[in-house]
Amino acid sequence: MNRVLLSSWFHDCKSVPLSHVQPPESRPHTVVASGNSIPVVDLGALDHAQTLTHLLKASHDFGFFHVINHGVSKELMDDIMNIFKEFHGMPAEEKLRESSRDPNGNVCKLYTSREKNNKDFVQFWRDTFKQLCPPSGQFIEYWPQNPPNYREVVAKYVEEMRRVGNKILELLCEGLGLDPKYCCGELSDNPLLIANHYPPCPEPSLTLGASKHRDPTLVTILLQQNDISALHVLKDGEWIDVHPIPYAFVVNIGLMFQIISNGRVMGAEHRVVTNAGTARTTVAYFVCPTNEKIVEPAKPLTMSGAPPMYKSIRYEEFMKIFLTKGADIEPLLLL
Ligand code: OGA
Ligand code: NI
């Protein structure tokens, strides 16, 4: 049997293997279960000025918010969730075959739990599938063909994510006093679609689905299952449960927008816990710059007594460091 993916062997486990046991200080003990305190941003609201204020406050205070009235149909949200549940439910050999149509291996990747390229690092209770989905429509021929309607549903979904992502970035930029289109083009033209799969875990108190991190994105748009709470955000030193609101998206600010905003808004630190009862699947749309793009604090935000806080960095260079340093990258970004 193929042992590369967690989903192939977790059935055999009565306890969490040592490779996946977190050190005591990282284990998920304390959670302040106050799902209602994560702000909800209504993208369909009529009062534009109020939406801007609300969005900026949510981004500043939490770096996390739910988005409602986003215009994506419930049917498409159900379809994409079902596609990825089905995908992760296929036999390992088939998933791996569907993920490796690109001869260069760049377009899709299916892997387990690895956040740092280091075998000694504690592993996470998760399999992840990730694929490039540029707005040019390039690479579709390398996307999976199974489940059978994969390409059709995913293409529709990423088009909708691009629309919602652009809208959120336009509002954020406008709210910060930048040109609303500031993040259009190379700053956001290299999106990724990531489907995480967290199998049920025999001992959820010992392990994590994802450790504390900030995303390497401008913003992330996450679809969670409607019924399982597992995502936590760190606010003022306490973990808060981001309890799903059915058919809302969860949006978080990433490190790239933290740099662009010159620290006016911060990437939110978050983690994922596991549960003993049910598998959980999430679909994340990562809004990312092209590899060659230099990311730096927006010039209008580095004047009038607010010098740049962050270095200018090529996105590809940033990603190289991010993949080895993970959550420890932040001091390296500061000027
Ligand atoms: C991520 C992430 C959250 C989740 O993919 O970066 O934080 O609940 N996902 O899957
Ligand atoms: Ni994340």
Side-chain angles (χ1 to χ4, degrees):
M1 187 209 284
N2 192 314
R3 311 289 294 181
V4 174
L5 299 172
L6 174 62
S7 48
S8 307
W9 56 260
F10 80 95
H11 309 271
D12 306 335
C13 292
K14 300 262 174 312
S15 58
V16 170
L18 270 182
S19 54
H20 289 65
V21 173
Q22 289 289 327
E25 67 278 11
S26 308
R27 291 180 199 166
H29 334 272
T30 47
V31 179
V32 181
S34 53
N36 291 339
S37 63
I38 303 290
V40 178
V41 173
D42 181 353
L43 281 190
L46 292 177
D47 189 334
H48 185 67
Q50 200 175 45
T51 305
L52 287 184
T53 311
H54 190 42
L55 180 67
L56 262 292
K57 185 164 166 42
S59 304
H60 182 268
D61 294 354
F62 287 84
F64 250 85
F65 46 91
H66 297 280
V67 162
I68 57 168
N69 285 324
H70 41 67
V72 183
S73 75
K74 288 183 179 174
E75 190 191 356
L76 184 56
M77 295 171 85
D78 287 339
D79 285 351
I80 195 83
M81 185 54 80
N82 289 334
I83 285 274
F84 282 116
K85 280 184 188 171
E86 225 183 293
F87 179 86
H88 280 290
M90 297 192 311
E93 282 70 23
E94 196 172 338
K95 285 186 275 194
L96 289 163
R97 191 172 57 240
E98 290 297 327
S99 309
S100 43
R101 291 176 183 275
D102 169 20
N104 296 319
N106 293 327
V107 174
C108 297
K109 285 198 172 76
L110 177 63
Y111 54 92
T112 189
S113 73
R114 163 179 44 85
E115 289 212 340
K116 295 187 184 183
N117 297 325
N118 177 357
K119 286 201 188 70
D120 300 331
F121 192 67
V122 179
Q123 304 286 296
F124 300 111
W125 201 262
R126 178 182 90 228
D127 288 339
T128 294
F129 170 76
K130 125 171 137 183
Q131 73 161 52
L132 301 178
C133 49
S136 60
Q138 215 186 340
F139 306 135
I140 288 191
E141 70 272 28
Y142 299 135
W143 290 5
Q145 272 184 309
N146 257 328
N149 49 346
Y150 182 98
R151 291 185 183 174
E152 184 192 333
V153 172
V154 171
K156 241 191 251 172
Y157 188 75
V158 297
E159 197 181 319
E160 284 291 76
M161 286 298 95
R162 182 164 164 77
R163 179 182 62 71
V164 175
N166 281 344
K167 171 130 193 189
I168 291 166
L169 284 172
E170 283 173 21
L171 290 169
L172 281 168
C173 287
E174 187 182 349
L176 288 172
L178 296 171
D179 177 347
K181 301 278 182 206
Y182 186 88
C183 293
C184 288
E186 290 174 350
L187 267 178
S188 57
D189 265 355
N190 187 27
L192 280 177
L193 195 67
I194 298 189
N196 296 303
H197 175 68
Y198 307 91
C201 173
E203 294 172 293
S205 63
L206 295 182
T207 191
L208 287 170
S211 61
K212 181 172 87 169
H213 68 282
R214 293 186 162 105
D215 290 346
T217 62
L218 281 83
V219 292
T220 302
I221 308 175
L222 183 81
L223 176 63
Q224 343 186 44
Q225 278 175 234
N226 287 337
D227 46 352
I228 307 170
S229 237
L231 175 61
H232 298 162
V233 56
L234 191 61
K235 173 160 166 57
D236 305 328
E238 289 184 323
W239 287 106
I240 301 177
D241 180 18
V242 186
H243 191 69
I245 298 179
Y247 298 106
F249 290 105
V250 175
V251 175
N252 68 270
I253 306 288
L255 281 166
M256 294 298 100
F257 199 77
Q258 177 176 328
I259 294 178
I260 292 166
S261 78
N262 200 25
R264 306 271 178 100
V265 295
M266 299 297 278
E269 288 185 293
H270 54 287
R271 72 178 182 191
V272 181
V273 297
T274 60
N275 78 82
T278 351
R280 174 173 177 264
T281 301
T282 61
V283 185
Y285 181 79
F286 274 29
V287 180
C288 301
T290 55
N291 284 338
E292 300 71 36
K293 183 66 184 169
I294 304 226
V295 181
E296 59 191 358
K299 293 275 166 351
L301 302 179
T302 60
M303 293 185 285
S304 56
M309 288 173 65
Y310 301 100
K311 296 174 194 159
S312 305
I313 187 162
R314 227 162 62 89
Y315 187 63
E316 192 173 32
E317 183 62 24
F318 165 84
M319 276 312 291
K320 251 188 226 154
I321 307 174
F322 183 81
L323 289 174
T324 49
K325 293 280 176 188
D328 305 326
I329 193 174
E330 241 187 300
L332 302 175
L333 301 173
L334 288 168
L335 261 180

